Amino acid sequence: MSDVQQVEVKEEVRSLPRIGSPAPQFEAVTTHGNLKLEDYKGSWLILFSHPADFTPVCTTEFIGFQEIYPQLKEMNTELLGLSIDSVHSHIAWVRNIEQNFGTKIEFPVIADLTMDVAQRYGMIMPDESSTEASRAVFVIDDKQVVRAIIYYPLSTGRNMDEMLRLVKALQTADQHQVATPADWREGDKVIVPPAVTQEGAASRMEDKNMECVDFYFCKRDL
Amino acid sequence: MACAKDNSLSETDIKIMQSIKETSLSIDDIATQTEMPLFRVRSVLRKLAENNLVKESEGKYTVVEQ
């Protein structure tokens, strides 16, 4: 028998969330007490991770997320942060942000020391860092379905305007059964789903309420 | 891990308990009355129920007489 004792390593393989799939359920310790994903049923949710407390890029992002929080709430959308830090670290950091920058962080932050939630959502990029979460964003709708996923690296802060634009675009698409073009903003024309029959294509080209370049490329006002 | 567990009631806990002291209310009604988001109300009610401070019946919550 070999002197080297072989250790069997069991690695749990988890599939990552995909757009259109149910968001992985979790229960987590947060700065607002224990929260479950199911607590957010009926609301949209932006679940986002950051690499670490008391770091400069993350601080600018937290201030940014807080600044858009009132607008998100008007869109029935909540914010939930996450990093692989303790709840006491989170508490100290959000207090520090308020003292140093005058911004009170009002949304909860998950203390994911066991990396349970981060693993479920694929927030860790091991080749970048195996001990910190990347800057991941999951937009989860009111039925707890993943609707959009964004990843940014450790070095680059996210664009808050895009968070607002993305949620508004997703909700508009749902409400009006349309799609939104590149750089769409509220008030812009929306994309009408392409016609799927010759008859539909012909009538669409004659529809005075639409602005069609061709049968597959029609826009209209909401 | 903390050296001791803090079991004291927070201002939020007390605010929610006061809203259902006299009458039983649904989660939606508690959220409206306390002006708190639904996720927060659900989370606090779960904790209070685990500590036997509130009880739920037919979707409505009320304070448990101690």
Side-chain angles (χ1 to χ4, degrees):
Chain A
M1 189 175 174
S2 166
D3 291 340
V4 181
Q5 191 179 355
Q6 285 196 330
V7 179
E8 189 181 338
V9 179
K10 284 188 178 175
E11 199 169 295
E12 188 183 352
V13 178
R14 288 171 165 164
S15 73
L16 301 182
R18 294 188 172 94
I19 291 173
S21 298
Q25 292 292 322
F26 60 80
E27 179 170 7
V29 174
T30 82
T31 49
H32 291 205
N34 276 31
L35 288 174
K36 294 183 178 184
L37 178 65
E38 67 185 33
D39 292 335
Y40 288 92
K41 272 183 186 167
S43 302
W44 286 62
L45 174 66
I46 294 179
L47 170 64
F48 71 97
S49 57
H50 67 275
D53 297 346
F54 294 102
T55 53
V57 177
C58 300
T59 301
T60 63
E61 287 191 320
F62 257 50
I63 292 169
F65 275 118
Q66 179 58 44
E67 284 173 353
I68 65 168
Y69 194 26
Q71 290 165 270
L72 288 171
K73 283 198 277 196
E74 284 176 16
M75 292 191 271
N76 187 31
T77 303
E78 288 293 339
L79 274 174
L80 179 57
L82 176 150
S83 75
I84 301 160
D85 288 293
S86 71
V87 76
H88 298 109
S89 171
H90 286 337
I91 291 168
W93 185 40
V94 297
R95 288 172 64 87
N96 184 275
I97 289 173
E98 186 171 5
Q99 285 162 5
N100 287 328
F101 299 94
T103 300
K104 184 174 183 181
I105 303 301
E106 295 173 327
F107 53 84
V109 189
I110 294 174
D112 197 27
L113 278 177
T114 62
M115 303 191 196
D116 179 56
V117 182
Q119 298 280 13
R120 283 175 197 271
Y121 279 81
M123 292 168 166
I124 297 167
M125 302 287 156
D127 288 339
E128 188 180 41
S129 173
S130 59
T131 57
E132 299 165 302
S134 62
R135 301 184 195 282
V137 177
F138 292 84
V139 180
I140 298 168
D141 71 15
D142 52 353
K143 296 173 190 66
Q144 311 238 283
V145 172
V146 176
R147 298 297 302 275
I149 302 172
I150 305 173
Y151 283 101
Y152 271 54
L154 301 180
S155 61
T156 310
R158 286 159 282 202
N159 184 310
M160 298 304 139
D161 201 32
E162 176 60 7
M163 304 297 144
L164 290 170
R165 196 193 73 85
L166 176 58
V167 172
K168 177 57 78 178
L170 288 167
Q171 292 182 347
T172 298
D174 281 6
Q175 190 180 350
H176 299 281
Q177 304 300 305
V178 294
T180 50
D183 299 327
W184 178 86
R185 299 271 170 186
E186 190 174 18
D188 290 352
K189 285 181 166 44
V190 295
I191 302 273
V192 183
V196 292
T197 63
Q198 277 186 295
E199 185 184 18
S203 67
R204 176 155 305 179
M205 294 303 289
E206 290 167 12
D207 191 328
K208 301 284 184 237
N209 294 318
M210 291 191 200
E211 185 183 282
C212 291
V213 176
D214 207 330
F215 79 96
Y216 70 90
F217 194 104
C218 296
K219 292 182 178 179
R220 70 171 170 88
D221 288 315
L222 284 177
Chain B
M1 179 179 282
C3 52
K5 200 172 178 182
D6 178 14
N7 286 322
S8 59
L9 293 176
S10 68
E11 282 181 31
T12 303
D13 298 337
I14 293 166
K15 191 173 179 183
I16 285 179
M17 287 180 73
Q18 281 176 340
S19 74
I20 51 175
K21 197 174 177 183
E22 305 295 333
T23 179
S24 57
L25 292 175
S26 67
I27 290 175
D28 286 352
D29 289 340
I30 296 169
T32 303
Q33 194 162 320
T34 58
E35 296 181 333
M36 285 184 204
L38 273 174
F39 79 86
R40 192 91 171 93
V41 173
R42 288 180 180 136
S43 164
V44 170
L45 284 174
R46 185 167 58 248
K47 182 185 75 172
L48 295 173
E50 283 168 3
N51 290 314
N52 204 32
L53 294 170
V54 303
K55 62 183 177 185
E56 183 261 335
S57 175
E58 295 178 348
K60 292 190 173 185
Y61 287 81
T62 189
V63 172
V64 173
E65 296 291 334
Q66 298 294 320

